[in-house]
mmCIF file of all heavy atoms in Angstrom:
data_model
loop_
_atom_site.group_PDB
_atom_site.id
_atom_site.type_symbol
_atom_site.label_atom_id
_atom_site.label_comp_id
_atom_site.label_asym_id
_atom_site.label_seq_id
_atom_site.Cartn_x
_atom_site.Cartn_y
_atom_site.Cartn_z
ATOM 1 N N GLY A 1 48.279 153.671 -152.026
ATOM 2 C CA GLY A 1 47.620 152.389 -152.215
ATOM 3 C C GLY A 1 48.525 151.228 -151.863
ATOM 4 O O GLY A 1 48.120 150.281 -151.172
ATOM 5 N N ILE A 2 49.774 151.295 -152.324
ATOM 6 C CA ILE A 2 50.726 150.218 -152.045
ATOM 7 C C ILE A 2 51.004 150.116 -150.550
ATOM 8 O O ILE A 2 50.917 149.044 -149.951
ATOM 9 C CB ILE A 2 52.041 150.461 -152.812
ATOM 10 C CG1 ILE A 2 51.782 150.486 -154.315
ATOM 11 C CG2 ILE A 2 53.064 149.381 -152.481
ATOM 12 C CD1 ILE A 2 52.944 151.002 -155.114
ATOM 13 N N VAL A 3 51.340 151.256 -149.942
ATOM 14 C CA VAL A 3 51.710 151.248 -148.524
ATOM 15 C C VAL A 3 50.513 150.950 -147.632
ATOM 16 O O VAL A 3 50.580 150.112 -146.718
ATOM 17 C CB VAL A 3 52.346 152.593 -148.131
ATOM 18 C CG1 VAL A 3 52.664 152.612 -146.646
ATOM 19 C CG2 VAL A 3 53.601 152.834 -148.943
ATOM 20 N N LEU A 4 49.380 151.641 -147.888
ATOM 21 C CA LEU A 4 48.198 151.417 -147.070
ATOM 22 C C LEU A 4 47.704 149.984 -147.168
ATOM 23 O O LEU A 4 47.246 149.400 -146.177
ATOM 24 C CB LEU A 4 47.084 152.383 -147.477
ATOM 25 C CG LEU A 4 47.261 153.850 -147.081
ATOM 26 C CD1 LEU A 4 46.119 154.690 -147.641
ATOM 27 C CD2 LEU A 4 47.334 153.991 -145.574
ATOM 28 N N GLY A 5 47.795 149.411 -148.396
ATOM 29 C CA GLY A 5 47.364 148.028 -148.555
ATOM 30 C C GLY A 5 48.129 147.094 -147.641
ATOM 31 O O GLY A 5 47.556 146.191 -147.018
ATOM 32 N N GLY A 6 49.441 147.320 -147.537
ATOM 33 C CA GLY A 6 50.261 146.484 -146.667
ATOM 34 C C GLY A 6 50.018 146.757 -145.195
ATOM 35 O O GLY A 6 49.823 145.835 -144.406
ATOM 36 N N ILE A 7 49.999 148.035 -144.826
ATOM 37 C CA ILE A 7 49.852 148.394 -143.409
ATOM 38 C C ILE A 7 48.475 147.996 -142.872
ATOM 39 O O ILE A 7 48.355 147.360 -141.817
ATOM 40 C CB ILE A 7 50.076 149.906 -143.216
ATOM 41 C CG1 ILE A 7 51.540 150.264 -143.515
ATOM 42 C CG2 ILE A 7 49.702 150.325 -141.802
ATOM 43 C CD1 ILE A 7 51.822 151.751 -143.473
ATOM 44 N N ILE A 8 47.424 148.384 -143.597
ATOM 45 C CA ILE A 8 46.067 148.106 -143.112
ATOM 46 C C ILE A 8 45.804 146.604 -143.054
ATOM 47 O O ILE A 8 45.235 146.097 -142.081
ATOM 48 C CB ILE A 8 45.022 148.811 -144.010
ATOM 49 C CG1 ILE A 8 45.149 150.327 -143.867
ATOM 50 C CG2 ILE A 8 43.604 148.372 -143.636
ATOM 51 C CD1 ILE A 8 44.268 151.112 -144.825
ATOM 52 N N THR A 9 46.219 145.888 -144.097
ATOM 53 C CA THR A 9 46.002 144.438 -144.103
ATOM 54 C C THR A 9 46.760 143.764 -142.966
ATOM 55 O O THR A 9 46.249 142.853 -142.312
ATOM 56 C CB THR A 9 46.444 143.840 -145.446
ATOM 57 O OG1 THR A 9 45.693 144.460 -146.499
ATOM 58 C CG2 THR A 9 46.215 142.336 -145.476
ATOM 59 N N THR A 10 47.989 144.224 -142.709
ATOM 60 C CA THR A 10 48.829 143.602 -141.682
ATOM 61 C C THR A 10 48.327 143.899 -140.273
ATOM 62 O O THR A 10 48.268 143.008 -139.417
ATOM 63 C CB THR A 10 50.289 144.083 -141.819
ATOM 64 O OG1 THR A 10 50.761 143.748 -143.121
ATOM 65 C CG2 THR A 10 51.172 143.422 -140.775
ATOM 66 N N PHE A 11 47.938 145.150 -140.008
ATOM 67 C CA PHE A 11 47.654 145.556 -138.637
ATOM 68 C C PHE A 11 46.170 145.708 -138.298
ATOM 69 O O PHE A 11 45.807 145.721 -137.114
ATOM 70 C CB PHE A 11 48.382 146.863 -138.320
ATOM 71 C CG PHE A 11 49.875 146.758 -138.418
ATOM 72 C CD1 PHE A 11 50.561 147.334 -139.482
ATOM 73 C CD2 PHE A 11 50.594 146.052 -137.470
ATOM 74 C CE1 PHE A 11 51.943 147.232 -139.582
ATOM 75 C CE2 PHE A 11 51.968 145.944 -137.555
ATOM 76 C CZ PHE A 11 52.654 146.528 -138.615
ATOM 77 N N ILE A 12 45.307 145.845 -139.295
ATOM 78 C CA ILE A 12 43.882 146.052 -139.019
ATOM 79 C C ILE A 12 43.027 144.954 -139.653
ATOM 80 O O ILE A 12 42.167 144.379 -138.999
ATOM 81 C CB ILE A 12 43.404 147.439 -139.509
ATOM 82 C CG1 ILE A 12 44.275 148.549 -138.902
ATOM 83 C CG2 ILE A 12 41.938 147.662 -139.153
ATOM 84 C CD1 ILE A 12 43.930 149.938 -139.402
ATOM 85 N N GLY A 13 43.259 144.662 -140.914
ATOM 86 C CA GLY A 13 42.449 143.671 -141.621
ATOM 87 C C GLY A 13 42.155 144.140 -143.028
ATOM 88 O O GLY A 13 41.987 145.341 -143.273
ATOM 89 N N TRP A 14 42.071 143.204 -143.976
ATOM 90 C CA TRP A 14 41.950 143.573 -145.386
ATOM 91 C C TRP A 14 40.665 144.338 -145.695
ATOM 92 O O TRP A 14 40.620 145.147 -146.624
ATOM 93 C CB TRP A 14 42.048 142.335 -146.283
ATOM 94 C CG TRP A 14 40.881 141.372 -146.171
ATOM 95 C CD1 TRP A 14 40.791 140.278 -145.376
ATOM 96 C CD2 TRP A 14 39.642 141.443 -146.897
ATOM 97 N NE1 TRP A 14 39.584 139.646 -145.545
ATOM 98 C CE2 TRP A 14 38.857 140.335 -146.482
ATOM 99 C CE3 TRP A 14 39.119 142.308 -147.846
ATOM 100 C CZ2 TRP A 14 37.586 140.076 -146.985
ATOM 101 C CZ3 TRP A 14 37.842 142.057 -148.350
ATOM 102 C CH2 TRP A 14 37.099 140.956 -147.918
ATOM 103 N N ARG A 15 39.607 144.105 -144.931
ATOM 104 C CA ARG A 15 38.337 144.772 -145.234
ATOM 105 C C ARG A 15 38.447 146.292 -145.126
ATOM 106 O O ARG A 15 37.733 147.037 -145.817
ATOM 107 C CB ARG A 15 37.233 144.252 -144.311
ATOM 108 C CG ARG A 15 36.941 142.754 -144.522
ATOM 109 C CD ARG A 15 35.797 142.265 -143.665
ATOM 110 N NE ARG A 15 35.638 140.821 -143.798
ATOM 111 C CZ ARG A 15 34.992 140.223 -144.799
ATOM 112 N NH1 ARG A 15 34.420 140.968 -145.736
ATOM 113 N NH2 ARG A 15 34.892 138.912 -144.855
ATOM 114 N N TYR A 16 39.366 146.756 -144.297
ATOM 115 C CA TYR A 16 39.490 148.200 -144.069
ATOM 116 C C TYR A 16 40.244 148.913 -145.190
ATOM 117 O O TYR A 16 40.252 150.150 -145.225
ATOM 118 C CB TYR A 16 40.140 148.456 -142.707
ATOM 119 C CG TYR A 16 39.206 148.154 -141.575
ATOM 120 C CD1 TYR A 16 39.133 146.858 -141.052
ATOM 121 C CD2 TYR A 16 38.354 149.127 -141.066
ATOM 122 C CE1 TYR A 16 38.249 146.562 -140.025
ATOM 123 C CE2 TYR A 16 37.475 148.833 -140.034
ATOM 124 C CZ TYR A 16 37.420 147.543 -139.522
ATOM 125 O OH TYR A 16 36.531 147.244 -138.525
ATOM 126 N N ILE A 17 40.856 148.155 -146.115
ATOM 127 C CA ILE A 17 41.431 148.823 -147.277
ATOM 128 C C ILE A 17 40.323 149.405 -148.152
ATOM 129 O O ILE A 17 40.561 150.316 -148.959
ATOM 130 C CB ILE A 17 42.338 147.894 -148.108
ATOM 131 C CG1 ILE A 17 41.538 146.774 -148.767
ATOM 132 C CG2 ILE A 17 43.478 147.348 -147.271
ATOM 133 C CD1 ILE A 17 42.369 145.870 -149.664
ATOM 134 N N PHE A 18 39.098 148.877 -147.981
ATOM 135 C CA PHE A 18 37.937 149.425 -148.691
ATOM 136 C C PHE A 18 37.133 150.379 -147.815
ATOM 137 O O PHE A 18 36.660 151.413 -148.287
ATOM 138 C CB PHE A 18 37.046 148.280 -149.183
ATOM 139 C CG PHE A 18 37.750 147.311 -150.090
ATOM 140 C CD1 PHE A 18 37.997 146.011 -149.681
ATOM 141 C CD2 PHE A 18 38.189 147.701 -151.342
ATOM 142 C CE1 PHE A 18 38.653 145.116 -150.505
ATOM 143 C CE2 PHE A 18 38.851 146.824 -152.179
ATOM 144 C CZ PHE A 18 39.087 145.522 -151.757
ATOM 145 N N TYR A 19 36.982 150.047 -146.536
ATOM 146 C CA TYR A 19 36.214 150.912 -145.641
ATOM 147 C C TYR A 19 36.830 152.304 -145.524
ATOM 148 O O TYR A 19 36.108 153.288 -145.299
ATOM 149 C CB TYR A 19 36.138 150.284 -144.250
ATOM 150 C CG TYR A 19 35.222 149.084 -144.149
ATOM 151 C CD1 TYR A 19 35.510 148.054 -143.251
ATOM 152 C CD2 TYR A 19 34.072 148.990 -144.923
ATOM 153 C CE1 TYR A 19 34.669 146.947 -143.144
ATOM 154 C CE2 TYR A 19 33.236 147.897 -144.832
ATOM 155 C CZ TYR A 19 33.538 146.870 -143.941
ATOM 156 O OH TYR A 19 32.716 145.783 -143.841
ATOM 157 N N ILE A 20 38.153 152.420 -145.693
ATOM 158 C CA ILE A 20 38.813 153.721 -145.548
ATOM 159 C C ILE A 20 38.315 154.728 -146.581
ATOM 160 O O ILE A 20 38.367 155.944 -146.372
ATOM 161 C CB ILE A 20 40.350 153.566 -145.636
ATOM 162 C CG1 ILE A 20 41.047 154.841 -145.145
ATOM 163 C CG2 ILE A 20 40.780 153.236 -147.057
ATOM 164 C CD1 ILE A 20 42.558 154.728 -145.103
ATOM 165 N N ASN A 21 37.778 154.228 -147.706
ATOM 166 C CA ASN A 21 37.273 155.131 -148.749
ATOM 167 C C ASN A 21 35.996 155.854 -148.344
ATOM 168 O O ASN A 21 35.663 156.894 -148.914
ATOM 169 C CB ASN A 21 36.993 154.343 -150.029
ATOM 170 C CG ASN A 21 38.256 153.875 -150.712
ATOM 171 O OD1 ASN A 21 39.239 154.592 -150.760
ATOM 172 N ND2 ASN A 21 38.235 152.661 -151.236
ATOM 173 N N VAL A 22 35.266 155.296 -147.381
ATOM 174 C CA VAL A 22 33.963 155.862 -147.045
ATOM 175 C C VAL A 22 34.086 157.269 -146.443
ATOM 176 O O VAL A 22 33.481 158.224 -146.975
ATOM 177 C CB VAL A 22 33.190 154.920 -146.104
ATOM 178 C CG1 VAL A 22 31.868 155.562 -145.682
ATOM 179 C CG2 VAL A 22 32.921 153.581 -146.805
ATOM 180 N N PRO A 23 34.857 157.487 -145.385
ATOM 181 C CA PRO A 23 34.958 158.865 -144.852
ATOM 182 C C PRO A 23 35.650 159.824 -145.814
ATOM 183 O O PRO A 23 35.240 160.990 -145.931
ATOM 184 C CB PRO A 23 35.763 158.688 -143.558
ATOM 185 C CG PRO A 23 36.503 157.397 -143.716
ATOM 186 C CD PRO A 23 35.611 156.527 -144.535
ATOM 187 N N VAL A 24 36.702 159.347 -146.496
ATOM 188 C CA VAL A 24 37.403 160.222 -147.451
ATOM 189 C C VAL A 24 36.469 160.605 -148.593
ATOM 190 O O VAL A 24 36.414 161.766 -149.030
ATOM 191 C CB VAL A 24 38.672 159.536 -147.991
ATOM 192 C CG1 VAL A 24 39.355 160.424 -149.035
ATOM 193 C CG2 VAL A 24 39.638 159.223 -146.861
ATOM 194 N N GLY A 25 35.715 159.625 -149.083
ATOM 195 C CA GLY A 25 34.776 159.891 -150.172
ATOM 196 C C GLY A 25 33.687 160.862 -149.779
ATOM 197 O O GLY A 25 33.269 161.706 -150.583
ATOM 198 N N LEU A 26 33.215 160.792 -148.542
ATOM 199 C CA LEU A 26 32.187 161.724 -148.077
ATOM 200 C C LEU A 26 32.701 163.159 -148.049
ATOM 201 O O LEU A 26 31.971 164.097 -148.375
ATOM 202 C CB LEU A 26 31.698 161.300 -146.690
ATOM 203 C CG LEU A 26 30.797 160.057 -146.651
ATOM 204 C CD1 LEU A 26 30.522 159.644 -145.209
ATOM 205 C CD2 LEU A 26 29.485 160.312 -147.396
ATOM 206 N N ILE A 27 33.969 163.328 -147.670
ATOM 207 C CA ILE A 27 34.569 164.673 -147.682
ATOM 208 C C ILE A 27 34.608 165.216 -149.113
ATOM 209 O O ILE A 27 34.224 166.355 -149.382
ATOM 210 C CB ILE A 27 35.984 164.633 -147.076
ATOM 211 C CG1 ILE A 27 35.917 164.295 -145.586
ATOM 212 C CG2 ILE A 27 36.700 165.976 -147.284
ATOM 213 C CD1 ILE A 27 37.275 164.040 -144.955
ATOM 214 N N GLY A 28 35.076 164.380 -150.042
ATOM 215 C CA GLY A 28 35.127 164.798 -151.442
ATOM 216 C C GLY A 28 33.752 165.099 -151.997
ATOM 217 O O GLY A 28 33.569 166.063 -152.760
ATOM 218 N N PHE A 29 32.755 164.302 -151.605
ATOM 219 C CA PHE A 29 31.392 164.511 -152.080
ATOM 220 C C PHE A 29 30.843 165.862 -151.623
ATOM 221 O O PHE A 29 30.206 166.586 -152.400
ATOM 222 C CB PHE A 29 30.492 163.378 -151.574
ATOM 223 C CG PHE A 29 29.032 163.606 -151.834
ATOM 224 C CD1 PHE A 29 28.519 163.497 -153.126
ATOM 225 C CD2 PHE A 29 28.169 163.936 -150.804
ATOM 226 C CE1 PHE A 29 27.168 163.706 -153.376
ATOM 227 C CE2 PHE A 29 26.821 164.150 -151.035
ATOM 228 C CZ PHE A 29 26.316 164.032 -152.325
ATOM 229 N N VAL A 30 31.092 166.213 -150.371
ATOM 230 C CA VAL A 30 30.609 167.496 -149.843
ATOM 231 C C VAL A 30 31.237 168.664 -150.608
ATOM 232 O O VAL A 30 30.549 169.624 -150.996
ATOM 233 C CB VAL A 30 30.903 167.605 -148.329
ATOM 234 C CG1 VAL A 30 30.618 169.023 -147.835
ATOM 235 C CG2 VAL A 30 30.066 166.591 -147.551
ATOM 236 N N PHE A 31 32.550 168.605 -150.826
ATOM 237 C CA PHE A 31 33.227 169.652 -151.587
ATOM 238 C C PHE A 31 32.648 169.760 -153.007
ATOM 239 O O PHE A 31 32.393 170.862 -153.505
ATOM 240 C CB PHE A 31 34.728 169.366 -151.664
ATOM 241 C CG PHE A 31 35.517 169.948 -150.526
ATOM 242 C CD1 PHE A 31 35.793 169.185 -149.398
ATOM 243 C CD2 PHE A 31 35.983 171.248 -150.563
ATOM 244 C CE1 PHE A 31 36.513 169.710 -148.340
ATOM 245 C CE2 PHE A 31 36.702 171.793 -149.521
ATOM 246 C CZ PHE A 31 36.967 171.016 -148.390
ATOM 247 N N ALA A 32 32.479 168.598 -153.660
ATOM 248 C CA ALA A 32 31.964 168.605 -155.033
ATOM 249 C C ALA A 32 30.542 169.147 -155.081
ATOM 250 O O ALA A 32 30.184 169.917 -155.987
ATOM 251 C CB ALA A 32 32.011 167.190 -155.610
ATOM 252 N N LEU A 33 29.722 168.752 -154.114
ATOM 253 C CA LEU A 33 28.334 169.194 -154.090
ATOM 254 C C LEU A 33 28.227 170.711 -153.913
ATOM 255 O O LEU A 33 27.378 171.366 -154.523
ATOM 256 C CB LEU A 33 27.597 168.487 -152.943
ATOM 257 C CG LEU A 33 26.075 168.621 -152.905
ATOM 258 C CD1 LEU A 33 25.450 167.974 -154.134
ATOM 259 C CD2 LEU A 33 25.522 167.990 -151.629
ATOM 260 N N LEU A 34 29.121 171.272 -153.112
ATOM 261 C CA LEU A 34 29.065 172.698 -152.814
ATOM 262 C C LEU A 34 29.672 173.566 -153.915
ATOM 263 O O LEU A 34 29.188 174.677 -154.175
ATOM 264 C CB LEU A 34 29.785 172.979 -151.486
ATOM 265 C CG LEU A 34 29.110 172.450 -150.221
ATOM 266 C CD1 LEU A 34 29.993 172.708 -149.005
ATOM 267 C CD2 LEU A 34 27.739 173.096 -150.019
ATOM 268 N N TYR A 35 30.724 173.076 -154.584
ATOM 269 C CA TYR A 35 31.517 173.986 -155.410
ATOM 270 C C TYR A 35 31.600 173.633 -156.892
ATOM 271 O O TYR A 35 31.925 174.496 -157.708
ATOM 272 C CB TYR A 35 32.941 174.074 -154.836
ATOM 273 C CG TYR A 35 32.957 174.562 -153.407
ATOM 274 C CD1 TYR A 35 33.322 173.716 -152.369
ATOM 275 C CD2 TYR A 35 32.563 175.863 -153.090
ATOM 276 C CE1 TYR A 35 33.311 174.161 -151.046
ATOM 277 C CE2 TYR A 35 32.551 176.316 -151.779
ATOM 278 C CZ TYR A 35 32.931 175.459 -150.763
ATOM 279 O OH TYR A 35 32.912 175.899 -149.471
ATOM 280 N N ILE A 36 31.337 172.391 -157.270
ATOM 281 C CA ILE A 36 31.410 172.049 -158.694
ATOM 282 C C ILE A 36 30.015 172.124 -159.291
ATOM 283 O O ILE A 36 29.137 171.323 -158.956
ATOM 284 C CB ILE A 36 32.015 170.637 -158.909
ATOM 285 C CG1 ILE A 36 33.451 170.607 -158.390
ATOM 286 C CG2 ILE A 36 31.985 170.271 -160.395
ATOM 287 C CD1 ILE A 36 34.127 169.264 -158.555
ATOM 288 N N LYS A 37 29.812 173.086 -160.142
ATOM 289 C CA LYS A 37 28.508 173.286 -160.766
ATOM 290 C C LYS A 37 28.517 172.719 -162.178
ATOM 291 O O LYS A 37 29.566 172.500 -162.788
ATOM 292 C CB LYS A 37 28.152 174.774 -160.795
ATOM 293 C CG LYS A 37 28.207 175.437 -159.418
ATOM 294 C CD LYS A 37 27.287 174.736 -158.415
ATOM 295 C CE LYS A 37 27.368 175.402 -157.048
ATOM 296 N NZ LYS A 37 26.541 174.693 -156.041
ATOM 297 N N ASP A 38 27.310 172.521 -162.696
ATOM 298 C CA ASP A 38 27.182 171.949 -164.033
ATOM 299 C C ASP A 38 27.641 172.920 -165.110
ATOM 300 O O ASP A 38 27.432 174.130 -165.011
ATOM 301 C CB ASP A 38 25.727 171.547 -164.304
ATOM 302 C CG ASP A 38 25.318 170.312 -163.524
ATOM 303 O OD1 ASP A 38 26.222 169.579 -163.083
ATOM 304 O OD2 ASP A 38 24.106 170.085 -163.365
ATOM 305 N N ASN A 39 28.254 172.358 -166.141
ATOM 306 C CA ASN A 39 28.652 173.129 -167.312
ATOM 307 C C ASN A 39 27.457 173.306 -168.247
ATOM 308 O O ASN A 39 26.383 172.745 -168.035
ATOM 309 C CB ASN A 39 29.761 172.361 -168.052
ATOM 310 C CG ASN A 39 29.320 170.935 -168.375
ATOM 311 O OD1 ASN A 39 29.208 170.101 -167.475
ATOM 312 N ND2 ASN A 39 29.041 170.671 -169.637
ATOM 313 N N LYS A 40 27.659 174.095 -169.284
ATOM 314 C CA LYS A 40 26.643 174.198 -170.319
ATOM 315 C C LYS A 40 26.539 172.854 -171.029
ATOM 316 O O LYS A 40 27.525 172.297 -171.485
ATOM 317 C CB LYS A 40 27.020 175.284 -171.333
ATOM 318 C CG LYS A 40 25.975 175.483 -172.416
ATOM 319 C CD LYS A 40 26.397 176.583 -173.387
ATOM 320 C CE LYS A 40 25.363 176.769 -174.474
ATOM 321 N NZ LYS A 40 25.774 177.821 -175.444
ATOM 322 N N ARG A 41 25.335 172.310 -171.114
ATOM 323 C CA ARG A 41 25.151 170.959 -171.635
ATOM 324 C C ARG A 41 25.126 170.946 -173.157
ATOM 325 O O ARG A 41 24.728 171.912 -173.802
ATOM 326 C CB ARG A 41 23.863 170.353 -171.066
ATOM 327 C CG ARG A 41 23.873 170.319 -169.538
ATOM 328 C CD ARG A 41 22.572 169.818 -168.954
ATOM 329 N NE ARG A 41 22.559 170.040 -167.511
ATOM 330 C CZ ARG A 41 21.561 169.678 -166.720
ATOM 331 N NH1 ARG A 41 20.490 169.094 -167.240
ATOM 332 N NH2 ARG A 41 21.636 169.915 -165.415
ATOM 333 N N THR A 42 25.546 169.834 -173.703
ATOM 334 C CA THR A 42 25.575 169.672 -175.150
ATOM 335 C C THR A 42 24.805 168.416 -175.537
ATOM 336 O O THR A 42 24.642 167.495 -174.728
ATOM 337 C CB THR A 42 27.020 169.547 -175.677
ATOM 338 O OG1 THR A 42 27.653 168.425 -175.027
ATOM 339 C CG2 THR A 42 27.813 170.793 -175.364
ATOM 340 N N GLU A 43 24.312 168.401 -176.754
ATOM 341 C CA GLU A 43 23.561 167.247 -177.238
ATOM 342 C C GLU A 43 24.523 166.190 -177.758
ATOM 343 O O GLU A 43 25.285 166.432 -178.693
ATOM 344 C CB GLU A 43 22.597 167.670 -178.349
ATOM 345 C CG GLU A 43 21.458 168.554 -177.863
ATOM 346 C CD GLU A 43 20.456 168.828 -178.966
ATOM 347 O OE1 GLU A 43 20.580 168.204 -180.045
ATOM 348 O OE2 GLU A 43 19.557 169.653 -178.752
ATOM 349 N N THR A 44 24.479 165.024 -177.150
ATOM 350 C CA THR A 44 25.296 163.895 -177.587
ATOM 351 C C THR A 44 24.595 162.625 -177.136
ATOM 352 O O THR A 44 23.664 162.667 -176.327
ATOM 353 C CB THR A 44 26.723 163.977 -177.004
ATOM 354 O OG1 THR A 44 27.516 162.919 -177.539
ATOM 355 C CG2 THR A 44 26.698 163.874 -175.487
ATOM 356 N N LYS A 45 25.011 161.482 -177.653
ATOM 357 C CA LYS A 45 24.363 160.216 -177.333
ATOM 358 C C LYS A 45 25.405 159.201 -176.860
ATOM 359 O O LYS A 45 26.590 159.343 -177.125
ATOM 360 C CB LYS A 45 23.611 159.678 -178.551
ATOM 361 C CG LYS A 45 22.429 160.552 -178.982
ATOM 362 C CD LYS A 45 21.717 159.948 -180.183
ATOM 363 C CE LYS A 45 20.530 160.817 -180.598
ATOM 364 N NZ LYS A 45 19.820 160.247 -181.776
ATOM 365 N N ILE A 46 24.907 158.164 -176.183
ATOM 366 C CA ILE A 46 25.772 157.091 -175.706
ATOM 367 C C ILE A 46 25.899 156.027 -176.791
ATOM 368 O O ILE A 46 24.904 155.606 -177.381
ATOM 369 C CB ILE A 46 25.209 156.461 -174.421
ATOM 370 C CG1 ILE A 46 25.040 157.524 -173.348
ATOM 371 C CG2 ILE A 46 26.111 155.338 -173.932
ATOM 372 C CD1 ILE A 46 26.315 158.207 -172.943
#
């Protein structure tokens, strides 16, 4: 975060410090969707 914030802001633009999360997040989402299944649910309230 520290290094990328400096490099991306300096050489590409500050908006891309947020845009970079989109492709990385999609990879994580695919892995989670395929392999992380729901646990046994319990009764609780917010």
Side-chain angles (χ1 to χ4, degrees):
I2 299 168
V3 177
L4 288 176
I7 293 175
I8 294 174
T9 301
T10 301
F11 299 107
I12 305 176
W14 68 266
R15 296 183 185 278
Y16 287 88
I17 67 177
F18 302 112
Y19 287 148
I20 194 176
N21 289 321
V22 176
V24 177
L26 287 173
I27 293 172
F29 171 73
V30 170
F31 271 94
L33 191 64
L34 291 176
Y35 301 112
I36 297 180
K37 305 303 179 183
D38 287 341
N39 54 289
K40 182 180 179 181
R41 302 176 190 181
T42 58
E43 292 186 8
T44 185
K45 294 181 179 180
I46 303 299

